[in-house]
Amino acid sequence: MSDKGKAFINIENVVASATLKQQIDLNAIVRVFPGVEYRPEQFPGLVYRLKKPKTATLIFSSGKMVCTGAKSERQARKAVLKVIDELKRDGIVILGKPEIMIQNIVASAGLGGYIDLEKATYGLKKTMYEPEQFPGLIYRMDEPKVVILLFASGKLVCTGAKKEIQVHIAVNKLQEILESKSLIFYEGPEKPRLPPLPSKEIEKEKEREREREREKEKQKEKDKTS
């Protein structure tokens, strides 16, 4: 089904890091799991793939791990824990619980309209647009702190978010800005609607924003007095 004229947001990839506070014997993992990829002469990490959820986890001898391919924060955490459970079950000694952090979320989106990229270079702050080199406009949003690629078709790619809700906030915010500056045009009589934002998550994120602003103000005061 074509998504032309439709508004959507899809999470494409969630990258999570994990830290085990211990050294890991990668050769021992290879002996127990012959299906893993480990070529230390090319790359120091071992690649451990899961079919469900479909992810690839890099494991380093330092105890650091990086999981890619998940489609949600929950799935990324689940994948890391599943890898550790499988290792432990087959005799790999892992002592503590991992510290898991979401490092980056990549999402695709569509606003269902056509964006005037030439005018958007002036209507939006912090943009880069060189159409002879790349057809998309690069827009750096301050809050949430993400980078969005805009295409004339109304398609977007959002990177840099640490939470899924930040993607939804950023795309909705961008659509509002584009509409307020007459930089997006819709063909049909009705504006395509993005998925509704969960109000509880929005409030939590707003509170986190306010906390970050308070911390910035405190730091400014400290800098003045020091």
Side-chain angles (χ1 to χ4, degrees), residues 6-76:
K6 293 183 179 179
F8 66 91
I9 298 173
N10 293 328
I11 303 297
E12 302 294 345
N13 185 24
V14 178
V15 180
S17 67
T19 305
L20 293 165
K21 295 175 182 176
Q22 67 176 84
Q23 294 286 311
I24 302 290
D25 185 346
L26 300 184
N27 289 311
I29 296 176
V30 174
R31 286 194 293 271
V32 179
F33 300 91
V36 300
E37 296 171 29
Y38 184 43
R39 299 184 184 91
E41 68 282 357
Q42 294 178 16
F43 183 72
L46 175 150
V47 184
Y48 191 109
R49 298 183 190 279
L50 288 177
K51 288 183 178 176
K52 194 174 181 182
K54 192 173 180 181
T55 53
T57 300
L58 300 177
I59 305 172
F60 299 91
S61 58
S62 63
K64 295 233 167 55
M65 304 169 71
V66 178
C67 174
T68 65
K71 300 295 185 183
S72 69
E73 294 172 60
R74 185 168 175 269
Q75 202 178 79

Side-chain angles (χ1 to χ4, degrees), residues 101-115:
M101 290 182 68
I102 303 300
Q103 298 296 340
N104 185 27
I105 296 175
V106 179
S108 63
L111 300 180
Y114 296 95
I115 301 170

Side-chain angles (χ1 to χ4, degrees), residues 102-146:
I102 303 300
Q103 298 296 340
N104 185 27
I105 296 175
V106 179
S108 63
L111 300 180
Y114 296 95
I115 301 170
D116 189 329
L117 297 182
E118 289 286 348
K119 286 184 181 175
T121 57
Y122 305 103
L124 299 173
K125 296 176 183 177
K126 296 186 179 178
T127 63
M128 186 186 295
Y129 183 48
E130 296 177 0
E132 63 280 1
Q133 293 182 24
F134 182 69
L137 178 147
I138 301 168
Y139 170 51
R140 298 180 187 281
M141 186 178 281
D142 285 331
E143 200 58 59
K145 197 173 178 63
V146 296

Side-chain angles (χ1 to χ4, degrees), residues 66-104:
V66 178
C67 174
T68 65
K71 300 295 185 183
S72 69
E73 294 172 60
R74 185 168 175 269
Q75 202 178 79
R77 290 190 171 90
K78 182 180 177 182
V80 171
L81 294 173
K82 187 173 180 180
V83 168
I84 291 168
D85 282 346
E86 288 188 4
L87 294 177
K88 287 165 79 173
R89 192 180 63 216
D90 283 275
I92 306 300
V93 178
I94 295 174
L95 303 172
K97 289 184 178 180
E99 291 179 10
I100 302 172
M101 290 182 68
I102 303 300
Q103 298 296 340
N104 185 27

Side-chain angles (χ1 to χ4, degrees), residues 155-217:
K155 299 290 195 310
L156 313 171
V157 176
C158 178
T159 68
K162 306 283 189 185
K163 296 184 179 69
E164 290 170 56
I165 190 65
Q166 290 174 343
V167 173
H168 290 267
I169 291 170
V171 174
N172 275 270
K173 186 175 176 179
L174 175 63
Q175 186 175 43
E176 287 174 13
I177 294 169
L178 293 174
E179 288 176 355
S180 69
K181 296 179 182 290
S182 300
L183 298 172
I184 187 166
F185 309 93
Y186 304 106
E187 281 188 334
E190 287 187 23
K191 183 186 96 170
R193 296 188 177 277
L194 287 163
L197 292 165
S199 55
K200 282 185 182 179
E201 289 297 321
I202 289 287
E203 279 309 310
K204 283 182 190 174
E205 191 57 33
K206 282 182 179 176
E207 183 52 44
R208 282 190 283 263
E209 276 182 42
R210 288 191 285 267
E211 186 58 38
R212 284 193 288 267
E213 287 302 318
R214 286 193 287 269
E215 288 300 319
K216 282 181 190 174
E217 289 303 317

